[in-house]
Amino acid sequence: MRTVFSTDGVSEQQRHEYWQELASKVLLGLRTEHKSSSSPFFGRLDHHDAGPLGVTYLHSSAQSVYRGEPEIARAPRECYYLCMQVEGVCRLRQGREERYSHPGDVELFDGTRPGELSFDADYRRIVIVAPYSTLRPRLSRPDDLVGSVLHTQEGVGALVSAYLRAFAVNQLAEPVAGSVSDNLLELLALAFNTQGRTLQTNAASVREARRHALRLYVERHLAEPSLSPATAAAHFRMSTRYLHGLFAEGGESFMRQVLSRRLERCRQALEDPDMDARSIADIAFSWGFVDLTHFGRAFKKAYGMTPRDWRHEHARPRA
């Protein structure tokens, strides 16, 4: 569910106090300080959940933001803040080193450690809150990466920037949102893990990132019967030969990936009590299948029984 908060309807004297309450609640205990006394404070915060992630787009006056020991004690949470600067410049510190984040850059903050941010002018920003369990196991050096900034002008960083922006503005329904969130975290982890490596390694990581982008595209278009290597390649402005090569490097096939994910969605629907009133054919067609005979054979090959038997087998515990 999307929620939007704004200081527009609050008196100028109470705006920052109101904003502080919002920042503490939505962004898990952050403390803010307004930097300029010569102009009234303003802030807008647009928030929704996507799978296990909290996604917030905010626009605000110049301010300082803290998560110190008192804030951590009041709102303990094992989480990361993945922040993309959209407009303005952020000066950040977590640990010994001070860094700067410019539009498009992505920062990695650890919510269990003290840190601070500073904005000298109005700014716009995307903040994604990710539980430890979703990201930490994917990071090769999680403690070393805390407080780092991913620059996104080229390579895998550019892919991260594009997909993080798209992820933040497009609200997807479950279970797609969970799958897309998982793909985004994989892409972010890949980018942070490969910072500073050789050009050869970075080139390989870009190809892996493109595979992730293609898998994400597949996930979002599964229900469309027209989904094909040609439509995906056209979307990403690459040749179908290059697309097939990307999947072959990972020991995969584009259409096998599509078939596997469609079968998985159908399997989930057949197990869902809320889908009992829908026919097997309706479920199959809703996930992009156009031939029921092909669907039945593929389902039995993947799961060892027909769709009808699978539904019957998993209906008995609910009866």
Side-chain angles (χ1 to χ4, degrees):
M1 183 178 71
R2 178 185 176 190
T3 52
V4 179
F5 302 98
S6 173
T7 58
D8 291 350
V10 181
S11 67
E12 292 183 3
Q13 294 78 11
Q14 296 178 318
R15 284 183 181 181
H16 186 261
E17 182 180 355
Y18 175 70
W19 181 256
Q20 171 59 54
E21 291 178 3
L22 292 179
S24 181
K25 179 180 179 181
V26 177
L27 298 175
L28 306 177
L30 297 182
R31 176 170 60 86
T32 67
E33 290 182 2
H34 185 201
K35 277 197 168 185
S36 174
S37 58
S38 61
S39 59
F41 183 85
F42 76 88
R44 177 182 173 87
L45 187 153
D46 191 330
H47 175 85
H48 69 274
D49 292 325
L53 308 180
V55 183
T56 304
Y57 187 98
L58 57 89
H59 179 201
S60 174
S61 300
Q63 62 179 306
S64 296
V65 181
Y66 304 93
R67 184 163 168 84
E69 297 292 354
E71 288 74 39
I72 294 171
R74 282 196 296 269
R77 173 85 180 272
E78 289 189 336
C79 68
Y80 289 106
Y81 296 91
L82 294 151
C83 310
M84 172 182 279
Q85 195 70 8
V86 178
E87 290 181 10
V89 177
C90 173
R91 185 172 73 253
L92 60 145
R93 180 188 294 276
Q94 188 165 59
R96 297 178 180 178
E97 195 169 341
E98 185 175 87
R99 295 182 171 93
Y100 286 84
S101 175
H102 297 86
D105 292 344
V106 181
E107 310 142 26
L108 178 64
F109 255 70
D110 188 332
T112 68
R113 302 186 184 189
E116 61 183 75
L117 311 171
S118 180
F119 306 91
D120 292 332
D122 300 352
Y123 68 96
R124 298 177 191 268
R125 187 171 173 83
I126 296 168
V127 180
I128 294 178
V129 180
Y132 254 34
S133 59
T134 64
L135 183 60
R136 190 174 177 85
R138 307 173 198 252
L139 298 174
S140 59
R141 299 169 291 111
D143 294 332
D144 295 336
L145 291 171
V146 167
S148 62
V149 176
L150 176 68
H151 300 296
T152 60
Q153 288 79 11
E154 59 184 9
V156 67
L159 289 173
V160 168
S161 177
Y163 282 96
L164 195 152
R165 288 175 188 267
F167 175 82
V169 300
N170 289 288
Q171 296 184 56
L172 303 174
E174 295 294 349
V176 175
S179 297
V180 173
S181 298
D182 191 63
N183 284 328
L184 175 66
L185 291 170
E186 283 285 344
L187 188 58
L188 283 161
L190 177 68
F192 278 106
N193 287 340
T194 55
Q195 283 189 106
R197 295 188 184 177
T198 64
L199 182 61
Q200 181 179 1
T201 302
N202 192 48
S205 71
V206 169
R207 292 175 71 83
E208 177 59 29
R210 285 173 177 159
R211 278 191 288 274
H212 277 291
L214 283 161
R215 294 188 195 109
L216 189 153
Y217 179 85
V218 165
E219 205 68 36
R220 294 181 64 180
H221 296 273
L222 275 178
E224 300 172 14
S226 60
L227 176 63
S228 70
T231 59
H235 177 81
F236 289 100
R237 298 184 179 180
M238 62 177 67
S239 69
T240 54
R241 181 178 180 181
Y242 182 76
L243 178 148
H244 288 308
L246 287 175
F247 277 84
E249 286 176 7
E252 300 175 278
S253 154
F254 181 88
M255 289 312 298
R256 281 202 298 269
Q257 171 82 4
V258 171
L259 177 61
S260 174
R261 297 304 299 147
R262 282 175 172 163
L263 289 172
E264 174 69 11
R265 294 301 187 197
C266 291
R267 181 191 64 77
Q268 292 172 352
L270 292 172
E271 296 174 2
D272 187 349
D274 294 335
M275 296 287 181
D276 284 348
R278 295 183 66 181
S279 70
I280 292 174
D282 184 31
I283 289 172
F285 292 145
S286 72
W287 284 109
F289 286 98
V290 295
D291 185 330
L292 287 180
T293 301
H294 168 64
F295 165 66
R297 288 174 179 168
F299 192 96
K300 186 173 183 179
K301 182 177 180 180
Y303 300 112
M305 62 179 70
T306 66
R308 188 177 303 279
D309 289 343
W310 187 273
R311 170 176 265 182
H312 179 70
E313 182 76 16
H314 290 79
R316 283 183 292 186
R318 301 198 299 266

